[in-house]
Amino acid sequence: MSIKEDLMNKIINKTAVVGIIGLGYVGLPLAMESSKSGYKVIGFDIQEKKVAMVNKGCNYIGDVEDSEFKEAVSTGMLKATSNFEFIKQVDIILICVPTPLDKYQQPDISYVKSSTEAVGKYLHSEMLVILESTTYPGTTEELLLPILQEISGLKCETDFYLAFSPERVDPGNLKYKTKNIPKVVGGIGEKSTEIASAYYKGVLESEVYEVSSPKVAEMEKILENTYRNINIGLINEMAIICNKMNINIWEVIEAASTKPYGFQAFYPGPGLGGHCIPLDPYYLTWKAKEYNYHTRLIETSGEINNYMSQYILERSTKILNRFKKALKESNIIVLGVAYKNDIDDYRESPALRVIENFQNEGAEVQFNDPYIPVYKYKEKIYYGTELTKEILNKADLVVITTAHKKYNYDFIQKNSQFIFDTRNATKDVINRENIELL
Ligand SMILES: NC(=O)c1ccc[n+]([C@@H]2O[C@H](COP(=O)([O-])OP(=O)(O)OC[C@H]3O[C@@H](n4cnc5c(N)ncnc54)[C@H](O)[C@@H]3O)[C@@H](O)[C@H]2O)c1
């Protein structure tokens, strides 16, 4: 039996052991789906705290079902470790580590590099390696392939297989989850693509779409997120113009959405947040420079989206001015620090910059978020406040930055002096006398 057939058989009869490096928003749901479909899973993470939580059956990711998680751990289908030597025991290894930007807005690929080196050290024949972290086109071929081949002495497509498959999970999305989002797969060669596809077909309910190379898969992921980034930039600019022209942007978007083709609705807000949309396009910007190309649209969109937190400050100042109040020493409550509604993730959240801007101008700022009681930003700890009648009433201005469904907007409207709603979260509130929209 050839190497490929042997690994393929293990994948088909579910005797392959799956390893997942990085047990975060991407890795943990994938670990769960793999174990639910019948594969034994070993999760790897450098955070001892996460490893301990997994092994105790304590779930920490909103998209993962608590009872299913407990069962996977108690039946031995899922375990975690910080000891990378266990990579020796796995047949398939998926890399799901962070890909942030450094302080110069350049790709910080160090997490991917160090995980790949760990895999290279324990790589054995009949093994499949898949990178899921979002990254610049070329990473799998130019970074992973040489590291893996050099450290292990093994040859890709002969001894082991390597592919890129972008993760598209949308935390908090109730309809589309890891299991039913179509998966794009691009291997180093045909064998890698075929074998990686077979694994995903065994785990997911969704279509698996094969492309001709890892580069195509890497680029399509960047295209998806750049498309969102730029369209949000466009609608934020539209919101600024609409406000100047006294036109309700939200009504405009609703009207445009009646067109059955050629228009997709995007919504304005205080800026971009999360680990993906604000960062991923800059992976392309950086790579494009190698080809002497400057990504103009990405930069312009970034400028507009980054300006939004400053714009919130300017609009808030004008609102307070109408009430003959200065921003300095005003009492402001910011509602929602998560970067989007109904989740507990505040990475890159624009609300953090909005709060910082208010503080820099001498306002007394409090925040509330039903999902985030406390957060850390630039080495400073921020503690949330309760959302009582008294606290709302005392505030000169309530600024809604995240449209959490948990909020009772009627209660907020009734008990607030004035609300600046940057998300149209209060759209169903009947009395809107004391509400101004972005
Ligand atoms: N969060 C999302 O919505 C989302 C969606 C699609 C794609 N992505 C991409 O997926 C990747 C992972 O994102 P995430 O949100 O899951 O990140 P995360 O921060 O939630 O999880 C990453 C995990 O990797 C661990 N880690 C870091 N370095 C490691 C190493 N060398 N070895 C082992 N573990 C290590 C961290 O401790 C952490 O637990 C990123 O490239 C991101 O752009 C994220």
Side-chain angles (χ1 to χ4, degrees):
M1 196 180 285
S2 78
I3 284 168
K4 195 183 128 207
E5 279 169 356
D6 200 12
L7 179 56
M8 197 61 127
N9 284 343
K10 281 186 179 176
I11 287 175
I12 291 164
N13 62 31
K14 304 269 165 94
T15 54
V17 177
V18 174
I20 303 213
I21 304 186
L23 300 172
Y25 288 96
V26 166
L28 202 67
L30 192 61
M32 266 312 297
E33 290 310 330
S34 299
S35 84
K36 269 162 59 187
S37 71
Y39 293 108
K40 271 204 167 150
V41 178
I42 305 177
F44 297 86
D45 206 291
I46 47 172
Q47 286 186 52
E48 300 279 355
K49 202 174 139 200
K50 281 191 179 168
V51 167
M53 281 181 85
V54 171
N55 290 331
K56 277 189 214 143
C58 296
N59 175 30
Y60 52 86
I61 297 285
D63 284 350
V64 171
E65 186 75 38
D66 288 347
S67 56
E68 287 180 354
F69 187 73
K70 268 198 178 73
E71 199 192 320
V73 174
S74 65
T75 54
M77 291 300 284
L78 172 62
K79 61 182 177 191
T81 178
S82 297
N83 183 352
F84 287 82
E85 235 183 290
F86 283 98
I87 292 175
K88 279 183 195 160
Q89 295 183 9
V90 309
D91 302 289
I92 302 168
I93 189 105
L94 293 117
I95 301 176
C96 310
V97 295
T99 42
L101 294 173
D102 67 16
K103 61 180 178 181
Y104 305 108
Q105 296 287 93
Q106 291 185 3
D108 174 2
I109 207 76
S110 60
Y111 302 89
V112 171
K113 193 163 178 269
S114 63
S115 326
T116 308
E117 284 164 354
V119 173
K121 207 165 151 194
Y122 301 108
L123 190 74
H124 52 81
S125 58
E126 299 181 59
M127 199 164 156
L128 167 67
V129 183
I130 305 176
L131 176 64
E132 286 225 359
S133 300
T134 308
T135 182
Y136 59 84
T139 310
T140 308
E141 278 156 288
E142 295 163 14
L143 185 82
L144 273 72
L145 182 64
I147 292 178
L148 294 173
Q149 293 196 145
E150 270 163 39
I151 298 182
S152 69
L154 298 173
K155 200 155 170 32
C156 189
E157 287 286 289
T158 315
D159 305 319
F160 74 96
Y161 305 95
L162 174 62
F164 180 81
S165 179
E167 180 53 63
R168 294 164 141 177
V169 73
D170 177 22
N173 191 320
L174 299 176
K175 190 173 173 198
Y176 293 107
K177 298 196 172 285
T178 303
K179 199 175 180 64
N180 61 349
I181 302 171
K183 202 84 178 101
V184 171
V185 178
I188 289 288
E190 276 176 20
K191 290 179 192 167
S192 293
T193 305
E194 191 192 339
I195 212 144
S197 276
Y199 158 69
Y200 285 118
K201 281 177 190 158
V203 171
L204 308 176
E205 279 168 1
S206 56
E207 178 202 359
V208 177
Y209 186 87
E210 295 178 6
V211 292
S212 60
S213 67
K215 233 187 247 178
V216 172
E218 286 156 344
M219 189 60 134
E220 81 76 18
K221 172 68 190 180
I222 297 282
L223 169 63
E224 287 171 26
N225 285 359
T226 303
Y227 173 83
R228 283 190 67 77
N229 180 309
I230 287 175
N231 278 288
I232 295 168
L234 169 68
I235 208 71
N236 276 334
E237 186 162 71
M238 284 292 214
I240 294 169
I241 305 165
C242 278
N243 179 257
K244 286 185 187 297
M245 298 175 75
N246 203 15
I247 298 169
N248 180 328
I249 181 69
W250 307 92
E251 199 185 341
V252 171
I253 299 169
E254 240 175 78
S257 301
T258 59
K259 186 177 178 182
Y261 55 89
F263 180 79
Q264 189 190 349
F266 287 86
Y267 298 94
L272 294 176
H275 184 43
C276 301
I277 313 290
L279 313 183
D280 299 347
Y282 292 102
Y283 270 67
L284 183 61
T285 296
W286 175 81
K287 188 68 180 170
K289 285 188 185 139
E290 195 181 311
Y291 296 85
N292 199 23
Y293 187 80
H294 182 67
T295 54
R296 287 165 288 175
L297 272 177
I298 292 174
E299 298 287 353
T300 304
S301 170
E303 260 173 51
I304 298 167
N305 290 327
N306 283 339
Y307 165 63
M308 291 312 285
S309 52
Q310 174 65 24
Y311 181 67
I312 302 302
L313 179 87
E314 290 166 18
R315 289 276 303 272
S316 302
T317 309
K318 282 187 181 172
I319 294 170
L320 288 167
N321 200 32
R322 289 207 302 267
F323 294 102
K324 300 191 172 59
K325 282 189 180 138
L327 181 58
K328 191 174 166 71
E329 289 173 18
S330 277
N331 190 332
I332 294 176
I333 297 189
V334 171
L335 299 187
V337 289
Y339 77 87
K340 67 173 188 171
N341 53 306
D342 313 321
I343 61 163
D344 64 359
D345 190 351
Y346 62 86
R347 289 178 294 177
E348 314 293 329
S349 176
L352 312 186
R353 298 191 292 277
V354 167
I355 291 172
E356 188 186 39
N357 287 347
F358 282 140
Q359 282 185 330
N360 288 345
E361 294 304 320
E364 303 284 338
V365 196
Q366 291 176 286
F367 87 89
N368 172 276
D369 191 306
Y371 296 89
I372 303 167
V374 54
Y375 73 87
K376 195 174 168 189
Y377 181 58
K378 295 187 181 168
E379 301 310 314
K380 211 168 135 189
I381 308 274
Y382 293 77
Y383 293 95
T385 179
E386 277 180 309
L387 204 57
T388 64
K389 213 170 158 174
E390 293 70 35
I391 287 175
L392 281 170
N393 206 269
K394 248 183 79 187
D396 299 306
L397 184 62
V398 174
V399 180
I400 300 175
T401 37
T402 315
H404 287 310
K405 291 194 193 87
K406 267 192 185 171
Y407 280 134
N408 179 341
Y409 291 106
D410 283 312
F411 171 83
I412 293 168
Q413 182 274 324
K414 268 193 204 113
N415 295 295
S416 303
Q417 293 185 41
F418 201 82
I419 298 170
F420 180 26
D421 180 359
T422 71
R423 298 280 194 182
N424 201 16
T426 55
K427 59 181 177 300
D428 296 326
V429 171
I430 295 163
N431 181 2
R432 302 174 69 89
E433 271 173 9
N434 58 342
I435 301 174
E436 180 167 318
L437 297 178
L438 181 71

